Amino acid sequence: MGRARPDVDTALRILRDHAPELSTEMVPAFAASGRVVATPPLAQLPVPRFRASAMDGFALASDFTLRASADDPVHMLVVERYGAAGVSPESLRAGEAARIATGAPVPDGADSVLIEEKAVSTMVGGGRRLSLTTPVPAGSNIRLPGEDVPAGAPLVARGKLLSPAGIGLMVAAGVPEVEVRRWPRVRLVSTGSELAADAASLDHHPARIPDSNGPMLMAALREIGLPYHSSHHAADEANQLEKGLIDQDADILISTGGVSAGDFDLIPGTLEKLGATIHLHASRQTNIVRDASG
């Protein structure tokens, strides 16, 4: 009997245990999606870079609101300047509040942001006044520098596949490029004397069938972003198979056909002749029964 066919998890573990690591290269962070991390990128900038408002609302000093109550509201002067994202704010003086947008730097003199929905403001004497009936806790709705990602923190673990979210994280943390494993070079080999390279040759060989395996695998590789390195068709002849399976520049060899137990299933033996080790293989076994006279 042949060796038992391993389950998928076992087969993947065998492949991972024996697959050599590819060399590395540096690529721009924005172009690294789908690549495997070789060296974990470290944050060059904290995220956020500064005290940032987490909400639209009003930046203010919490200690000025400590005595606020429904019976004795605290009133603050709303300054005309607006804290927009990307703009360095001016400092606030005691008793002042400033409108602020989500993501904008919190001005010096403020340690809290009162969200827009909870703010009550009125026009008084040509200016706007903010009225508070409850204290605003210190630190409300403020993201501290490095709260999401501190400078120097690893962003993506070694061996992980970089996703679009990982790209965004790296760019946000000031990482310009990342060391990744280079793309593996894949060689495709379709085997079978019955295969025709193209439909045009079928007229001269009515018993042959189109080689659909090669184009299908090329498309599958493109679908996962992996370009194939070379392709080849080999007839069921040992010398042709040897030539087809040899490619010193290929990292991965994918072949179709020729691995069962028939007379023309020559792939396993050819691979072993070329020095390969077969770590997993399962094929159907044929039991030949002869009668007494045979």
Side-chain angles (χ1 to χ4, degrees):
M1 297 294 290
R3 284 177 286 184
R5 188 187 303 272
D7 59 36
V8 172
D9 290 339
T10 301
L12 287 174
R13 186 174 67 251
I14 292 171
L15 291 174
R16 293 190 181 104
D17 289 345
H18 292 90
E21 285 190 331
L22 298 173
S23 58
T24 66
E25 60 183 354
M26 300 297 294
V27 299
F30 66 83
S33 185
R35 304 296 293 271
V36 174
V37 174
T39 301
L42 304 180
Q44 303 301 300
L45 300 171
V47 181
R49 293 178 57 201
F50 41 72
R51 291 189 310 149
S53 177
M55 304 290 286
D56 292 338
F58 293 85
L60 50 81
S62 62
D63 59 0
F64 197 83
T65 71
L66 292 177
R67 293 186 299 275
S69 67
D71 295 330
D72 187 16
V74 168
H75 304 291
M76 304 184 75
L77 174 66
V78 179
V79 297
E80 292 184 1
R81 56 186 180 273
Y82 176 69
V87 177
S88 297
E90 297 181 27
S91 299
L92 294 180
R93 293 178 294 188
E96 290 183 336
R99 293 196 64 224
I100 191 169
T102 302
V106 176
D108 290 339
D111 64 354
S112 298
V113 171
L114 176 67
I115 65 173
E116 187 85 37
E117 293 81 356
K118 293 185 177 181
V120 176
S121 63
T122 54
M123 296 298 297
V124 177
R128 183 170 293 277
R129 187 176 71 178
L130 185 66
S131 300
L132 299 101
T133 57
T134 58
V136 179
S140 297
N141 303 307
I142 290 180
R143 297 166 59 216
L144 299 177
E147 183 175 313
D148 295 341
V149 179
L155 302 175
V156 186
R158 180 180 183 271
K160 293 295 184 180
L161 200 68
L162 275 167
S163 65
I167 302 302
L169 178 61
M170 287 194 300
V171 174
V175 175
E177 58 182 7
V178 59
E179 186 176 18
V180 297
R181 298 292 171 188
R182 64 167 173 78
W183 288 116
R185 294 182 288 263
V186 182
R187 179 168 177 79
L188 302 176
V189 179
S190 299
T191 71
S193 299
E194 75 280 10
L195 299 181
D198 53 65
S201 63
L202 295 177
D203 293 338
H204 303 291
H205 303 282
R208 292 190 178 181
I209 59 176
D211 176 17
S212 59
N213 290 326
M216 177 188 67
L217 290 172
M218 292 177 193
L221 290 170
R222 284 194 296 268
E223 192 172 81
I224 62 174
L226 191 62
Y228 69 91
H229 170 61
S230 61
S231 60
H232 180 78
H233 169 252
D236 295 319
E237 300 174 11
N239 62 335
Q240 283 206 32
L241 285 176
E242 286 188 31
K243 293 178 181 178
L245 295 175
I246 296 175
D247 186 339
Q248 300 298 332
D249 292 328
D251 302 299
I252 299 173
L253 172 67
I254 299 177
S255 66
T256 63
V259 296
S260 190
D263 293 341
F264 296 102
D265 291 311
L266 306 176
I267 289 288
T270 303
L271 288 172
E272 290 181 327
K273 181 180 177 182
L274 294 173
T277 299
I278 298 178
H279 296 282
L280 57 96
H281 177 248
S283 61
R284 295 188 302 272
Q285 299 296 308
T286 302
N287 295 318
I288 301 176
V289 179
R290 300 179 184 275
D291 60 28
S293 63

